[in-house]
Amino acid sequence: MNQHARGPLLPPDRGPLSAAVAAYLRGTGPLPRPADAEAADPYGDDLQLALYLCYELHYRGFAGVPPDTEWDPGLLRVRAALERRFRSALRADTPVHDSLDEAIAALLVEPAEGTGVTHFLCAEGELWQLREYAAVRSLYHLKEADPHAWVLPRLWGRAKAAMAAVEYDEFGGGRPERVHARLFADLMTDLGLDTAYGRHLDAAPAEMLAVVNLMSLFGLHRELRGALVGHFAEVEITSSPGSRRLAEAMRRTGAGPAAEFFYDEHVEADAVHEQVVRHEVIGGLLAEEPELAPDIAFGIDATEYLEERLARRLLADWRAGRSCLRAPLEAPLRTPAQQPAPPAREASHTS
Ligand SMILES: [Fe+2]
Ligand SMILES: [Fe+2]
């Protein structure tokens, strides 16, 4: 059986909730009580990993976990409790714009000086920071566009046709070597990173788990189809300028041709995707269901909120000269340029 069919290994737990979910998936313990989920820190490592484990069953699952666990009623009850905690925190904490037009307009404004991760990496990022960035982002990019595919049966007409057209590009336009997840794996190879699906889950901070969990949450709930479209719009609208900066960072550090290509490809593709998503996916959805405008705005704003939390975390660590990862990366498989090793993390960040 190949690695894809088996799925990755279950990662180490990050507290009682994730420990109980992992034990249940292994068949060695009971599920946590839903009340335990509702009392947990909604953005903390433990809840975010527990939710991530539940969602991953809908993607590739985990080695040794039976595929039909995806629809285990007890596990779905726990997942619902974890989602309620996460969703209510997001509703309370996300600064929401008054209108969808304002939410979209805010995406076109450059972030305040010093707050953008791609600005930092472009201007002064070192190769070890680019490797860490790729390892963290691999949680999404190795399943790039997968969470958004779930929305297709929930759309119709213009919105469905346009969403499918963008997804077709994301999935390589019929060419397996051009699937964006494959292009990202090639980037990781240039950076000397293990490309196995799920390999860097344990290393990623809770802030990244929350970014990916948000996509899964929106993708798996038909009632949140507007938020999923908003999330996709945020990704596509902000991608092109960010990708230009990351391509430049890869060039400046000599990361390698595939590392440059992944971002160069997104500069071009996402400039087009942005227009299609704004005018056809959002425009088409609103033509059918105008009452979803606030949900689309919420999807945009919640995505921005979690991306900004992640940016603050990465920049705080890197500016302090320490790794942002919870576990060290493997030694580079090849070193395209002389790179200093990242300093050891402080103990307070390894929980
Ligand atoms: Fe892409
Ligand atoms: Fe795209």
Side-chain angles (χ1 to χ4, degrees), residues 271-291:
V272 177
H273 292 171
E274 171 188 346
Q275 298 303 317
V276 176
V277 173
R278 286 174 66 177
H279 300 294
E280 295 303 313
V281 180
I282 291 180
L285 182 58
L286 288 177
E288 298 278 355
E289 301 185 277
E291 68 279 9

Side-chain angles (χ1 to χ4, degrees), residues 90-110:
L90 284 171
R91 285 282 179 193
D93 298 339
T94 298
V96 180
H97 287 90
D98 289 337
S99 72
L100 176 55
D101 286 346
E102 285 181 32
I104 292 174
L107 296 179
L108 306 175
V109 177
E110 286 286 290

